[in-house]
Amino acid sequence: MSPSILMILISSLATGTIITMTSHHWLMAWIGLEMNTLAIIPIISTMHNPRSTEAATKYFLTQAAASAMILFASMLNAWQTGTWDIINLTYEPAHILLTMALAMKLGLAPMHFWLPEVLQGSTLTTALIITTWQKLAPMSLIYITLNNLSTTTLILLGLLSSIIGGWGGLNQAQTRKIMAFSSIAHLGWMITISSIMPNIMILNLMIYLIMTTALFYSLILSKSKTIQDTTATWALSPTLTTMMMILLLSLGGLPPLTGFMPKWLILEGLVTQNLAPAATIMAMSALLSLFFYLRLTYTTTLTLSPNTTQTKLKWRFKPNHLTLLMGASSTISIFLLPMTPLMLL
């Protein structure tokens, strides 16, 4: 793909998200989502193989269906209330339909089936865009319409997503599919707390974006597409191996690291609202996710692929802009926990 076309697609992606985030009218929000979808499809299919074409088709069909549902929900609401304002979503069938449509856009369970397949057919860089940037527009719509959405529906979607995100990742050998199920589980945590404490949802989203970006950078630098590939990371760079280990543990939510902060605050919020059963289910589902993160950690740091004495010569790889970005995002992903009290002031 030529740089000029790529630049147009990337700027369309950015513009689409910004239009959706800043709009007050349902049609403008829908236009932003459509721009997003149409800009990412050529990026997914750049590989020109049947797998990427299939991924682009699956992505297009699910996103188009979800966009149609959003348009239908907004039309129903406009018919009943006489207004196209996003914040005046008061008609009940419309807001249930909207919740389902946004869940499909995000890849929340039970509308999650497209996400692992699409990521598996994409490159690691495209997978990074789909799991981070593409979540911003639907999440902003959820944040804007929170006061009118059903709390019970959101909590049920969140619980189901966190369980399926943990369960689905257990038997995966492909790092992109593992990251897809990790994304589903993290989004489940965000949606569960969204209607109770929206500020914690935003904090969780920010931390999720930083941690996922850092881990994808590690996978891109080490060219790890399967769990077996991660065993060769140590020969490439011992520093990268150590960073990957700590990042994976942080994504799993282990206490001294940043990833523990959102989980701790969400569980605390649920218990405060007398939702202890939901908090228990969430905590148990986090153990499922932790298992596959620990398995990746084990293969990355504690196993060595068959190698010769020459393998160690790979240590001195040239640093580039990815290394710098990964360093910054990794640092935030690891050391942010002591800042928690400042964020809650």
Side-chain angles (χ1 to χ4, degrees):
M1 187 182 287
S2 73
S4 54
I5 294 174
L6 188 62
M7 191 188 75
I8 292 167
L9 292 173
I10 297 288
S11 54
S12 300
L13 266 183
T15 311
T17 303
I18 292 162
I19 287 173
T20 304
M21 290 171 89
T22 54
S23 58
H24 297 285
H25 195 285
W26 273 117
L27 273 179
M28 287 304 291
W30 174 77
I31 287 166
L33 291 169
E34 285 299 303
M35 280 182 71
N36 242 334
T37 305
L38 294 173
I40 193 82
I41 286 165
I43 297 173
I44 296 171
S45 52
T46 43
M47 295 294 288
H48 301 300
N49 57 33
R51 195 69 199 257
S52 66
T53 311
E54 182 191 338
T57 311
K58 282 179 178 173
Y59 187 82
F60 171 71
L61 291 173
T62 49
Q63 298 297 313
S67 290
M69 281 170 71
I70 289 170
L71 202 56
F72 183 52
S74 57
M75 282 171 64
L76 275 178
N77 188 63
W79 199 355
Q80 291 295 322
T81 61
T83 176
W84 283 89
D85 282 354
I86 292 181
I87 47 175
N88 289 333
L89 187 75
T90 48
Y91 185 50
E92 193 174 350
H95 72 62
I96 288 172
L97 201 59
L98 178 78
T99 309
M100 292 301 135
L102 290 174
M104 193 191 285
K105 278 228 167 258
L106 286 166
L108 286 171
M111 284 79 78
H112 67 284
F113 295 99
W114 63 271
L115 187 60
E117 296 299 320
V118 169
L119 289 203
Q120 187 55 36
S122 315
T123 61
L124 282 166
T125 314
T126 313
L128 167 63
I129 297 169
I130 294 169
T131 49
T132 53
W133 187 258
Q134 293 297 86
K135 306 295 181 202
L136 290 177
M139 283 304 271
S140 66
L141 281 180
I142 287 178
Y143 185 74
I144 295 165
T145 54
L146 263 181
N147 294 331
N148 303 312
L149 299 182
S150 162
T151 305
T152 314
T153 311
L154 288 172
I155 289 175
L156 283 173
L157 279 173
L159 287 174
L160 197 59
S161 298
S162 60
I163 292 165
I164 287 176
W167 223 322
L170 289 178
N171 63 341
Q172 299 300 332
Q174 302 281 337
T175 51
R176 280 165 294 184
K177 280 197 174 177
I178 287 174
M179 290 309 292
F181 284 108
S182 158
S183 174
I184 293 165
H186 276 94
L187 288 167
W189 281 83
M190 285 175 231
I191 295 300
T192 307
I193 201 67
S194 59
S195 57
I196 301 164
M197 300 172 89
N199 55 339
I200 289 181
M201 179 190 83
I202 297 297
L203 174 69
N204 193 350
L205 178 63
M206 296 300 293
I207 290 172
Y208 158 77
L209 292 176
I210 293 164
M211 289 196 299
T212 307
T213 305
L215 189 56
F216 263 113
Y217 280 153
S218 308
L219 294 173
I220 291 164
L221 279 169
S222 58
K223 296 182 177 64
S224 302
K225 290 182 180 174
T226 62
I227 290 183
Q228 286 87 340
D229 293 344
T230 59
T231 56
T233 315
W234 189 82
L236 183 71
S237 164
T239 319
L240 183 65
T241 312
T242 313
M243 275 301 209
M244 263 182 88
M245 176 191 77
I246 301 171
L247 272 171
L248 285 161
L249 296 178
S250 185
L251 267 167
L254 287 185
L257 307 166
T258 307
F260 176 64
M261 187 210 301
K263 287 187 168 54
W264 163 34
L265 295 174
I266 289 169
L267 292 177
E268 187 187 11
L270 288 171
V271 173
T272 310
Q273 297 293 323
N274 294 322
L275 289 167
T280 309
I281 294 167
M282 298 292 285
M284 297 294 276
S285 70
L287 295 175
L288 293 169
S289 301
L290 187 61
F291 177 81
F292 62 76
Y293 290 130
L294 282 173
R295 191 175 59 172
L296 259 177
T297 309
Y298 176 77
T299 55
T300 308
T301 53
L302 298 177
T303 57
L304 274 178
S305 57
N307 57 30
T308 60
T309 37
Q310 279 77 27
T311 320
K312 295 178 181 65
L313 298 175
K314 282 175 75 181
W315 276 15
R316 305 226 178 273
F317 71 108
K318 290 173 185 170
N320 56 16
H321 65 285
L322 270 185
T323 324
L324 298 171
L325 283 168
M326 203 205 93
S329 49
S330 301
T331 309
I332 299 169
S333 305
I334 294 164
F335 297 118
L336 209 62
L337 188 66
M339 303 290 284
T340 315
L342 295 176
M343 291 177 183
L344 296 177
L345 285 175

